[in-house]
Amino acid sequence: MADLATEKAPHPAKAAADTAEAPVDPANWTCPAPLRDQPVVVMGHGGGGALSAELIDQVFAPAYGNPTLATMADSAVFDLGGARLAFSTDSYVVRPLFFPGGCLGDLAVNGTVNDLAMSGARPAYLSTAFVLEEGVELSVVGRIARAIGSAAEAAGVTVATGDTKVVESGHGDGVYVTTAGVGLVPEGVDIRPQRARPGDAVIVSGPIGLHGVAIMSVREGLEFGVEIASDTAPLAGLVADMLAVTKDVHVLRDPTRGGLGASLNEIARASGAGVRLHERALPVPEEVANACGFLGLDPLYVANEGRLVAFVPQDRAEEVLEAMRAHPHGAGATVIGSCVEEHPGMVVVATGLGGTRVLDLPLGEQLPRIC
C-alpha cells in the first residue's frame, strides 16, 4: 500500500508543472462583470455602459455607417423637404410594468419625447409598437395603452400609428413597447455632444437616481422608510424655455441607462473635452443615497427618466438656470461642474475631502431592466 501510495502521489514539482500546462477554459470562470470578449449577447450590453458602446461601435455602426448616425446623439437630426427634423426610436422592457410614479406606458412616451427634445426639437408625432406575450391580461394592456394616451396628451404629441405582435407564452415578458417619434428643430439650434467646449457650465435639471431606485425597490420588495417615486416626465417644455433664453445651448442629454456618469462620459469622449464635477454640488436625494448605500450602488450610474444634463456657455449659465428653475420639471436645477481643457475625454469628480476621482464609463449595468 505504501508503494502504491508513493507511486500515485505526484512529485510537488511535477504537479505544479502539470497545473501550469493545463489549458485554461474561460467558460469555467466566474466574474461579477461580463467578459469584454463575450461571443454572445449578455445583459450588460443593454446597460448603457462600455459594453453597450462596444456593441454599437463594433456591430451596428459598421453595418449602418452614415454621417447622420455618426453624431451618436439621442436623436438623429436631418433636413427633409426644407424642414429640419429630429427622429428617434427606443424600446421599453421595464420590469415591473407598474411602479411608483409611472408605468411602462409613461416611459414609452416620455423617453422618446425627451430624446427628441435633447436635440432641441419640438416633438410632434409618435408611433407605438406592442409585443405582447400570450397569456398577458388584456386589462394590463389596456392600462398601459391609456397611460400612453395620457402621457402623449401631457407632452403635446400625437400617437399617429402603431403595430402589435404576439409571441408564445414563455417567449416574452408580458409587454414590450417600442416608440419612435419625429419633431421639428427650430432654426439656429445646433445641439449635439460634439459641441461641448471648455468653459461651459454643466447643469443638471434636478435630483438624480430616483427612477432606478424606484424600480429596484418595488422589484425586490425593499422598503427604505419612504416611498421613492420615478421622476419620469416629458422635458420638451423645459428645453423650449431654455432655448428661449439662448439658442446657443451646446449639449443636452437625458441620463437614462447608465445614469449621469455614462452620459457625461459619452459627451466628453465625443467632444474631446474634459468634464470636472463637484461632488458636493451633485443633487443626490437623501433617500436615494441611503438606498444606494444599502444596495451597493453608485447614484451617478443609476438611471433617470425625467432629468437632463446641459452644457451651456458660462456667460449664459445664470439666465438658463433661472429659466429652468421657473419650470416645474427644472425646479431643482443646479450647476454641478464645468467643461475643462484638462484631462480631455475624461470625467473627474472633485471630492468633498479635496481629492479627485475618475468617473469612468460603467462596464455593464447596475440595475437590469429599468427602462
Side-chain angles (χ1 to χ4, degrees):
M1 291 294 292
D3 291 341
L4 184 60
T6 302
E7 180 180 338
K8 287 187 175 180
H11 189 279
K14 182 177 185 303
D18 290 344
T19 301
E21 295 173 359
V24 176
D25 183 5
N28 293 327
W29 294 354
T30 59
C31 179
L35 297 176
R36 298 292 286 273
D37 59 352
Q38 279 280 359
V40 298
V41 173
V42 296
M43 289 299 294
H45 283 119
L51 285 174
S52 293
E54 289 178 3
L55 183 66
I56 293 170
D57 292 342
Q58 298 174 15
V59 177
F60 297 120
Y64 307 156
N66 61 76
T68 303
L69 180 67
T71 60
M72 293 296 176
D74 284 336
S75 58
V77 176
F78 51 88
D79 295 317
L80 184 65
R84 194 154 180 254
L85 301 178
F87 177 59
S88 184
T89 188
D90 209 341
S91 296
Y92 298 86
V93 295
V94 67
R95 180 170 55 85
L97 300 175
F98 304 92
F99 47 83
C103 71
L104 177 66
D106 302 304
L107 292 186
V109 172
N110 293 338
T112 297
V113 163
N114 292 346
D115 282 346
L116 295 171
M118 295 308 105
S119 294
R122 298 168 185 153
Y125 295 96
L126 300 183
S127 71
T128 62
F130 278 72
V131 177
L132 307 176
E133 183 182 12
E134 180 186 24
V136 68
E137 296 180 6
L138 287 176
S139 61
V140 170
V141 180
R143 286 180 63 189
I144 294 171
R146 288 192 296 274
I148 286 175
S150 297
E153 183 177 2
V157 296
T158 299
V159 179
T161 187
D163 183 47
T164 304
K165 295 292 188 295
V166 177
V167 297
E168 297 89 344
S169 178
H171 290 262
D173 196 12
V175 182
Y176 298 153
V177 176
T178 296
T179 51
V182 293
L184 188 66
V185 180
E187 185 178 353
V189 172
D190 181 16
I191 299 174
R192 48 194 168 88
Q194 290 79 9
R195 291 199 67 216
R197 297 286 184 272
D200 284 352
V202 180
I203 303 173
V204 69
S205 63
I208 62 173
L210 291 166
H211 176 72
V213 173
I215 295 295
M216 182 56 68
S217 64
V218 294
R219 179 186 299 165
E220 303 300 334
L222 302 175
E223 295 184 4
F224 302 107
V226 60
E227 183 179 74
I228 300 175
S230 171
D231 58 358
T232 179
L235 300 177
L238 174 62
V239 172
D241 286 357
M242 295 168 66
L243 294 176
V245 173
T246 175
K247 290 185 176 179
D248 192 27
V249 174
H250 291 167
V251 186
L252 292 173
R253 272 290 169 100
D254 58 333
T256 53
R257 293 180 306 166
L260 185 62
S263 293
L264 291 174
N265 270 279
E266 291 166 357
I267 294 167
R269 296 182 184 195
S271 64
V275 176
R276 183 177 179 84
L277 305 180
H278 303 290
E279 187 174 59
R280 290 180 175 174
L282 296 171
V284 181
E286 183 179 0
E287 61 269 28
V288 170
N290 292 339
C292 287
F294 176 76
L295 296 169
L297 306 176
D298 186 337
L300 288 173
Y301 295 130
V302 175
N304 313 270
E305 287 291 342
R307 299 289 179 255
L308 64 79
V309 59
F311 284 58
V312 300
Q314 185 65 52
D315 61 353
R316 306 306 300 270
E318 284 301 320
E319 295 173 85
V320 171
L321 196 60
E322 183 178 351
M324 294 176 71
R325 288 173 174 170
H327 192 281
H329 298 318
T334 186
V335 175
I336 60 171
S338 59
C339 197
V340 297
E341 294 182 355
E342 296 81 16
H343 48 79
M346 294 177 59
V347 181
V348 302
V349 181
T351 69
L353 298 177
T356 301
R357 66 182 177 96
V358 174
L359 185 68
D360 204 356
L361 191 67
L363 178 60
E365 60 185 1
Q366 292 192 112
L367 302 174
R369 303 288 300 280
I370 54 172
C371 61

